[in-house]
Amino acid sequence: MTSKYIRPLALLLCAALLGCLLAACGGSASSPASSAAPASDSASASGSSTLPSSTTEANTGELNPGNFDENSVFSITGTSNAFAPCLGWGPGVSGCSLKSVIAAASLLHWAEDARMSSRSPEAIQEAFYSWYDGLTDSQQEGFAEAWPLIKDAALDLLSDKDSMTDRIADAGLDADTLPGCTLKNWQALQTVLDGIVPETNGEA
């Protein structure tokens, strides 16, 4: 075979081999691409098992103590018990001076326990009305008449307890536990009640 035939034949063989190599490389290149798709699907499936960030925040937010509303009426408890000593007497009634001290002591302890200075006026009003609205007309009137005596006794306990030693003892109270309230907690309660308790013509 002459050289003029050998060279074209060699070129054809090289072209054929090159074609085979290119085909093989193309197949192997497409193979990883096809196998990468399931991997992507797998990652998507794995991602779907985690909660969306918005859902996670909503769930953990419910456990956040900061969501507790201190101004809610439902967080102010003991209203009826606190006001119980304020009923059944009024100005001019025998023993009203001692009864006013007892009532004042009860409201002072309630104002402190309920942390009234941290409550909104609306929350204090609602707590008061939850008790007041359940009274009869005569009871409401009686409380309105007694309120000036009660708040005066409370202020005396806060500012000059020593001058009330005899009244405290006669009322059967423990002087060591009085007044048992900070001025700011009492003022928060008194300010609200002064604005909503009807004024009367009752006299001490």
Side-chain angles (χ1 to χ4, degrees), residues 62-115:
E62 293 176 357
L63 303 177
N64 185 354
N67 287 347
F68 175 73
D69 183 7
E70 289 191 343
N71 290 327
S72 169
V73 63
F74 299 110
S75 65
I76 301 180
T77 60
T79 308
S80 296
N81 288 337
F83 281 93
C86 302
L87 297 178
W89 61 275
V93 173
S94 176
C96 66
S97 178
L98 299 181
K99 292 180 185 298
S100 67
V101 176
I102 296 172
S106 179
L107 293 185
L108 283 165
H109 284 301
W110 183 59
E112 185 70 15
D113 291 342
R115 296 174 296 171

Side-chain angles (χ1 to χ4, degrees), residues 116-193:
M116 289 300 179
S117 62
S118 68
R119 314 289 183 170
S120 69
E122 292 77 15
I124 299 174
Q125 286 180 24
E126 289 184 37
F128 171 73
Y129 281 126
S130 69
W131 167 77
Y132 185 79
D133 287 346
L135 303 180
T136 64
D137 290 344
S138 61
Q139 287 176 322
Q140 290 181 354
E141 184 179 355
F143 172 74
E145 292 176 350
W147 171 240
L149 298 180
I150 296 170
K151 69 178 179 180
D152 286 348
L155 291 172
D156 287 342
L157 288 171
L158 284 164
S159 62
D160 191 15
K161 187 179 75 171
D162 291 342
S163 68
M164 300 180 67
T165 302
D166 292 340
R167 290 174 63 189
I168 292 172
D170 291 343
L173 300 174
D174 183 357
D176 292 337
T177 64
L178 297 173
C181 182
T182 61
L183 181 59
K184 65 178 182 179
N185 279 329
W186 171 254
Q187 287 179 333
L189 175 60
Q190 180 187 327
T191 299
V192 170
L193 295 189

